[in-house]
Amino acid sequence: GNSVTQMEGPVTLSEEAFLTINCTYTATGYPSLFWYVQYPGEGLQLLLKATKADDKGSNKGFEATYRKETTSFHLEKGSVQVSDSAVYFCALRYNTDKLIFGTGTRLQVFP
Amino acid sequence: DSGVTQTPKHLITATGQRVTLRCSPRSGDLSVYWYQQSLDQGLQFLIQYYNGEERAKGNILERFSAQQFPDLHSELNLSSLELGDSALYFCASSVVGLAEETQYFGPGTRLLVL
């Protein structure tokens, strides 16, 4: 079946460091891929998405490229800020099936 | 603010009881989804409605049920509550429910079963 695997956290970084959070997926066909972010005490917010192979989603300095050949959708940011501290969820959706989430990766950024 | 509202924000109840969680989707969105977030199970899809009709079912227990009303708001009913039902319950909405659509999440209802 369809599934998402994320790197385990927490990821601890200093401000202005480079961030990568790995996400790989297993799916039949070509799903749409998403990154959601959950700030402490809040609901999930869409960070970025890509709906077909080689698409790059980007928002607020974050980027992720839909790689069909490696079935990956890694999240990157060139320079993290303390305000980026949150839990990040990779997710996929195939056709009108359910949104499937990874386990989430907690990011902690220190000044 | 996603435009999705959920009430109540917090709910504390006892085992065996029944509760109702309410969700109002974004204006214009026809599709509503319910998710459960717990420490041991992560984020799990429960059920989806589209324009009043059930469209997809996930890992929803038989003790749980949901419906979407003509004004498009939705309610999730949890009955015969157990300690393990303690979790954060999210509602999300999207326009019609296509795979590539963004789902907008509400702030969640935190349920504590004692």
Side-chain angles (χ1 to χ4, degrees), chain A residues 36 38 46 49 93 95 99, chain B residues 37 97-100 102-103:
Chain A
Y36 278 86
Q38 186 176 26
L46 178 71
K49 68 179 182 181
R93 193 166 184 219
N95 284 341
L99 193 59
Chain B
Q37 185 178 34
L98 297 177
E100 63 269 24
T102 298
Q103 291 184 24

Side-chain angles (χ1 to χ4, degrees), chain B residues 69-85:
Chain B
F69 295 87
D71 68 352
L72 301 177
H73 91 271
S74 178
E75 293 181 356
L76 179 67
N77 300 296
L78 315 176
S79 61
S80 303
L81 285 167
E82 302 175 359
L83 296 178
D85 297 327

Side-chain angles (χ1 to χ4, degrees), chain A residues 42-68:
Chain A
E42 296 185 14
L44 281 81
Q45 302 174 28
L46 178 71
L47 183 59
L48 52 85
K49 68 179 182 181
T51 59
K52 59 183 190 297
D54 300 326
D55 267 3
K56 179 188 276 190
S58 61
N59 185 27
K60 299 181 183 178
F62 291 89
E63 290 184 340
T65 301
Y66 188 161
R67 301 272 187 218
K68 183 171 62 107

Side-chain angles (χ1 to χ4, degrees), chain A residues 1-5 23-28 31 33 71 90-92 100-102:
Chain A
N2 299 331
S3 66
V4 175
T5 303
C23 170
T24 56
Y25 67 89
T26 303
T28 49
L33 301 174
T71 61
C90 184
L92 72 80
I100 297 172
F101 288 92

Side-chain angles (χ1 to χ4, degrees), chain B residues 18-21 34 46-47 49 54 57 60-69 74-79:
Chain B
R18 172 190 166 95
V19 297
T20 298
L21 282 52
W34 285 97
L46 295 178
I47 198 163
Y49 279 82
E54 181 184 305
K57 222 168 189 175
I60 187 165
L61 299 172
E62 282 193 17
R63 300 182 285 109
F64 296 1
S65 64
Q67 54 184 323
Q68 186 180 26
F69 295 87
S74 178
E75 293 181 356
L76 179 67
N77 300 296
L78 315 176
S79 61

